[in-house]
Structure formats: structure tokens, C-alpha cells
Amino acid sequence: MREETIRISQEELQRQRDFARQVRCHPDRPKSYYIVTYGCQMNAHDSEKLAGMLEEMGLEPAAERTAADFVLHNTCCIRDNAERKALGNVTWLKEVKKERPDMLIGVCGCMIQQQEMAQKLLKQYPFIDVAFGTGNLYRLPEYLWQAVSNHERVIRVENEASTLAEGLPIHRESDIKAYITVMYGCNNFCSYCIVPYVRGRERSRRADDIVREADELVKSGVKEIMLIGQNVNSYGLDSDEGVSFAQLLHRVSQTGIERIRFMTSHPKDLSDALIDEMAHNPAVAPHLHLPVQAGSNRILQAMNRRYTREQYLEKVQKLRAAIPHIGLTTDLIVAFPGETEAEFEDTLSLVEQVRYDSAYTFIYSPRKGTRAAEMPGRIAPDVASARIERLIALQEKITGEVLASMRGEIVQALVEGVSRRRENQLTGKTGRNINVNFNGAPDDIGKMVRVRITGAGSNTLRGEKVEE
Ligand code: 5AD
Ligand code: SF4
């Protein structure tokens, strides 16, 4: 694996734009595209860049994947089921391609960046036309050009994950909310996690590039920006700019953006300066996603998380003291190798103690090449399922109680659209990132409005608009 950051040069990006122009002028080019995205926000945002590049090549979005000339799967490999789902869908498309032989099938993203994947695709998936990893995403124009002009399979899995490409075109999914990547990659090597292997080393974008992007978004009418990275709290540590994540957050808020969120935060890197910025900057949403993973110190150590249960709880206490209305969410893994019943119960008790707004819960999934995959003490699937069910039931109870306790509060909601359930209802997101439904007219869509909470369902709030 290459360690150093490779900044993609302007000449190289111009070369890619030239390929894009050549594809656009080629009579046999695909005319429409459909991107199937798996996984996290980083992937969702990469798909916006892929869409931007495809549109630069003259392709238009297709309404459904079976109608598209080019179907690109942007994959995830964080757990075995994510990988199986992607490969299952790609294989299903093989049948569609039999009817439409001109269809091009592409696969990219984290799954492709894994060791030996290129060999596997070449041998077992002959119907895949284009494949590339996360590090060479910016080369899509070149790959599509090769596929279109030479009618060849383009399987380009290069061992270079740590690239940083500025200025790619972006087709954004929403004009109300937008992602900005602040850093790529991860250096933490949690023992269960494949991300550092497939996304490369931590590399931060320049603060000026980020602020410029935020500024343009504000000018275009965007109301909420989410700063994303695998571990945003270590923003800047790999560069000599001397801008910390707390300072970056401050600078982005000076663009006049109405609301800023960020994810994901590693508890070990959550600084007092960041807590302070969150507490005093009204643009920063009162929400923090702070994955804890487990409640037992022995398991946390085996996971290489580099904090103890006590240190985590101390951070939670500091956050709540500084920002009394903060909503916390988390990620939890059950059935890590060797996890005893008592250690699992430590996770339950931690969840009870913190009282998260919500949690993503996962059964541990061994990933080839990670340290945990070699650890003894695999937990039987029925035990793992029983544990996750207990954990989910506990978190559902807490979510219900937390939401019910919000009755009577007045919150700021960013109105995202019409409710799926009822026509005259709008749906918005509170600062704590909870959905709230309330009566209203479509001209409020895209605005920040004040809503009084009148009730709660299992994971949404009900409310009424407070007229100014
Ligand atoms: N098995 C189960 N869950 C995992 N996660 C990461 N790797 C694994 C794995 N091998 C979870 C963690 C992480 C989230 C994005 O996915 O909880 O925070
Ligand atoms: Fe994976 Fe840990 Fe990095 Fe998160 S911090 S991406 S869990 S290695």
C-alpha cells in the first residue's frame, strides 16, 4: 500500500477533461446513466462526483437502472452483507444485459479496492465492462473512453488509494443540503475495519478550497452543509496548514451558511476546542455522531479504539454540560470475537447511561486482511442475532422516550419536502437530525422554520409551525 498523499495535478485533471470531451463526441457513447450507491456518506458524495463527470461526458440520468446505457455500482465492503448485496445486484443485471447487449456495466468504490479483487472480477464476472477503485475515481472519463472507443473491458484496480483530486464536476442530489469532503482516508486501523485499507491514509483538503466550496454553495441557496470524512476530528493533522477541525468549522460558518453538520467523529480525537465551537457557534447543529462501538474496556482495547468506557463517558458529560440540548447518536458492534455475555451487557449498560437519540447497530463481520479477522472466539450466529435484537429493543425504547420528552419544545426545522405519508404535511429535519412532520404549504420547502413539537412516533416527531 502506498503511504503518501498523491495530489492529482491540474495537468492530469485537464487530461481527464479531454477524455470527457472525446467521449461526448463519440457516436457510440452511452447516452444515459444510472448510479447504484451502497454505504456511507462518503460514497453518496463520490456518486455525486461520478454523476458530475458522466454529465460532462454528455450522459443524462436514466429514470431506472434497466433503462440506462451505463449502470455504475458504487460499492461498499464494510460488512460482508454490503458486498454480497452489490455483487448480487451486479449479477442480476447480467440478465438485463442479455436483452440489451450495448448496456455497459460498471463497478467502482471500496469493494474494488480490496486485494485480489481485480483477479476475481476478471475471472468470475466477465460481464463487467468497467471497474475501478476509490483512488482512481477521477479517471472515469479515461476508462469510459477506453471502453467505448476500443470495445475493451477496463478493469483498473490500482494500488493507489491515497489520492486527492480537486475540482471534479459534481452533480448534487439536493439544492437544500450539500456534502463537502474535508478529508479522505483513515489512519486508525480499528482492528475490525477495512476502511483504512480501501480508502488509504488520512489526507486533508486545504481549508481555502473547503471554504470556497462552502461559499459557492451558500450563494447558490444551500441551507445546510455536512462536512464529511472518515474521521473529521483529525482534520489538518496530516498537513502543515495549522488549521484544526474546530477552526475549519468556524471558518465555514463565516460563509453565512444556516446550518452545519459533520461526521464522523472519533471519540479519541474530540477536542475541547471543538466542543467549545459547537457550544458557541449557532450555525453548528446540536448533534454529534460519536461511534462508541462497545461498552467493555477489554473489547474496546481489542478493537484498537484507543479510549476507555470511562474516557468516552467523560466526553459525553463534557458535551452535555456545554451543549445541554445536544443529540448524540452512535455506532455499535455486537459479537466481536471473544465477546462474552457480560461484555455484551457492558454495551447495553453504556447505551442506557448515554441515552442516544438513535444508534446504528451491527453484527461483527470478519473482513479479510484486518486484525480482528484472525482473532479467536467467533460468536455463533444465533448468539449474535439474539444480542443485536436485545440491543435494538433497548435503543428503540430509549429513542421513544427521548422523542416523547421533546413535546412542547420549539425547534428549528429545515423543510426538506412533502411528507410521504400525508399530502398536506411537510417533513423537516431538526438540528438534532430528527424528522419532524407538520402541516404546511410547499412554499416552505427549502426554508428553516420554527416548529413546536406536539407529539412523537417511534422515530419521528409531529409538530406545528410557529408563525413568526
Ligand atoms: N463488522 C461490523 N461492523 C463494522 N463497522 C465497521 N467495520 C465493521 C465490521 N467489520 C461498523 C462500525 C463503524 C460503522 C461505519 O460500521 O460501527 O462505525
Ligand atoms: Fe474504520 Fe475505525 Fe477508521 Fe472508523 S475510525 S473508518 S471504524 S478504522
Side-chain angles (χ1 to χ4, degrees):
M1 196 187 310
R2 298 181 67 154
E3 294 292 322
E4 77 276 16
T5 301
I6 305 164
R7 266 183 191 275
I8 306 305
S9 66
Q10 284 310 312
E11 292 74 38
E12 173 59 26
L13 291 169
Q14 184 54 48
R15 205 172 73 89
Q16 294 302 325
R17 280 195 288 271
D18 292 342
F19 279 118
R21 194 167 30 77
Q22 281 172 273
V23 173
R24 202 165 53 223
C25 299
H26 197 287
D28 296 341
R29 70 170 167 85
K31 307 288 182 298
S32 62
Y33 74 90
Y34 191 96
I35 301 177
V36 192
T37 307
Y38 303 87
C40 64
Q41 280 92 359
M42 300 295 286
N43 261 21
H45 189 40
D46 279 352
S47 288
E48 293 183 324
K49 293 179 189 161
L50 293 163
M53 287 187 274
L54 289 167
E55 287 177 19
E56 198 169 61
M57 290 182 260
L59 281 76
E60 287 182 7
E64 48 191 285
R65 78 183 88 166
T66 49
D69 296 339
F70 180 40
V71 184
L72 182 55
H73 303 77
N74 188 10
T75 61
C76 167
C77 59
I78 195 126
R79 284 169 293 277
D80 185 51
N81 54 4
E83 205 169 321
R84 265 185 297 142
K85 203 161 121 193
L87 285 172
N89 280 337
V90 174
T91 307
W92 170 80
L93 214 56
K94 181 174 84 171
E95 300 306 313
V96 182
K97 192 177 160 121
K98 278 188 191 150
E99 305 290 311
R100 299 186 45 218
D102 288 344
M103 175 189 254
L104 290 175
I105 299 183
V107 186
C108 65
C110 293
M111 191 179 88
I112 303 301
Q113 201 75 45
Q114 292 177 100
Q115 280 169 12
E116 293 153 28
M117 191 44 91
Q119 282 348 72
K120 185 171 167 180
L121 292 180
L122 283 168
K123 284 202 199 114
Q124 295 175 24
Y125 296 86
F127 50 91
I128 292 177
D129 303 289
V130 181
F132 51 96
T134 55
N136 44 1
L137 168 143
Y138 68 93
R139 286 193 175 191
L140 173 61
E142 177 178 349
Y143 300 152
L144 204 56
W145 166 250
Q146 288 166 351
V148 168
S149 63
N150 305 336
H151 298 282
E152 65 177 62
R153 294 185 77 197
V154 184
I155 311 290
R156 300 284 186 270
V157 184
E158 284 158 42
N159 224 353
E160 116 188 349
S162 295
T163 57
L164 201 157
E166 282 295 342
L168 296 179
I170 302 177
H171 171 97
R172 296 191 181 270
E173 284 296 306
S174 156
D175 29 300
I176 305 170
K177 305 202 296 185
Y179 295 123
I180 299 184
T181 310
V182 301
M183 63 181 307
Y184 299 87
C186 181
N187 289 354
N188 287 316
F189 290 93
C190 298
S191 64
Y192 50 82
C193 187
I194 191 84
V195 167
Y197 303 89
V198 295
R199 287 266 179 191
R201 295 290 64 73
E202 288 180 359
R203 48 219 192 269
S204 303
R205 291 180 64 198
R206 290 189 193 100
D208 285 348
D209 290 336
I210 295 167
V211 174
R212 192 175 318 117
E213 193 174 335
D215 207 38
E216 282 164 12
L217 289 168
V218 172
K219 289 197 178 104
S220 76
V222 162
K223 297 288 172 13
E224 179 179 306
I225 287 175
M226 184 186 273
L227 303 178
I228 55 172
Q230 247 81 36
N231 178 16
V232 291
N233 300 108
S234 54
Y235 172 81
L237 300 183
D238 60 310
S239 89
D240 45 20
E241 274 199 320
V243 180
S244 70
F245 185 64
Q247 289 164 331
L248 179 72
L249 204 55
H250 191 78
R251 283 193 56 190
V252 172
S253 74
Q254 287 175 326
T255 59
I257 185 73
E258 287 200 41
R259 184 189 269 171
I260 313 176
R261 303 182 180 284
F262 52 94
M263 81 191 302
T264 294
S265 295
H266 194 303
K268 78 175 164 57
D269 299 314
L270 180 73
S271 67
D272 288 350
L274 180 60
I275 297 178
D276 201 52
E277 184 64 29
M278 290 183 78
H280 295 106
N281 189 333
V284 181
H287 170 227
L288 189 66
H289 186 64
L290 197 62
V292 65
Q293 313 296 359
S296 138
N297 281 333
R298 191 191 74 82
I299 297 289
L300 286 172
Q301 196 173 15
M303 287 177 162
N304 192 32
R305 291 292 288 177
R306 285 176 279 176
Y307 54 81
T308 62
R309 173 190 178 104
E310 291 73 26
Q311 286 166 336
Y312 182 92
L313 288 172
E314 204 184 295
K315 299 244 164 158
V316 168
Q317 215 170 18
K318 266 193 193 171
L319 282 159
R320 291 228 162 102
I323 314 149
H325 265 72
I326 194 167
L328 298 174
T329 55
T330 201
D331 292 344
L332 298 157
I333 298 178
V334 303
F336 186 79
E339 183 188 70
T340 64
E341 202 59 25
E343 286 166 341
F344 165 65
E345 284 177 8
D346 287 340
T347 298
L348 293 179
S349 73
L350 181 130
V351 166
E352 293 219 48
Q353 229 172 313
V354 178
R355 296 182 65 76
Y356 296 103
D357 284 3
S358 63
Y360 294 100
T361 52
F362 309 106
I363 293 177
Y364 167 71
S365 167
R367 304 282 66 204
K368 204 167 155 220
T370 62
R371 274 200 289 138
E374 307 300 321
M375 291 180 187
R378 282 287 158 81
I379 308 295
D382 56 330
V383 175
S385 303
R387 286 183 188 168
I388 200 165
E389 275 169 32
R390 276 178 75 188
L391 182 60
I392 291 170
L394 172 63
Q395 183 55 51
E396 280 178 355
K397 178 176 98 53
I398 294 170
T399 299
E401 289 167 0
V402 171
L403 266 55
S405 74
M406 291 176 182
R407 189 188 292 256
E409 278 179 24
I410 292 180
V411 298
Q412 295 282 351
L414 178 58
V415 186
E416 292 184 348
V418 176
S419 161
R420 260 180 284 163
R421 293 242 189 98
R422 276 194 254 144
E423 239 178 53
N424 57 351
Q425 290 245 306
L426 297 176
T427 181
K429 275 258 174 12
T430 70
R432 282 172 76 152
N433 210 26
I434 301 170
N435 285 323
V436 57
N437 295 326
F438 57 98
N439 279 338
D443 54 345
D444 272 339
I445 293 173
K447 291 187 189 151
M448 196 74 83
V449 300
R450 273 150 59 84
V451 175
R452 181 182 293 105
I453 306 302
T454 55
S458 55
N459 51 24
T460 48
L461 296 165
R462 286 186 299 279
E464 58 193 16
K465 187 177 164 190
V466 181
E467 299 298 339
E468 303 296 322

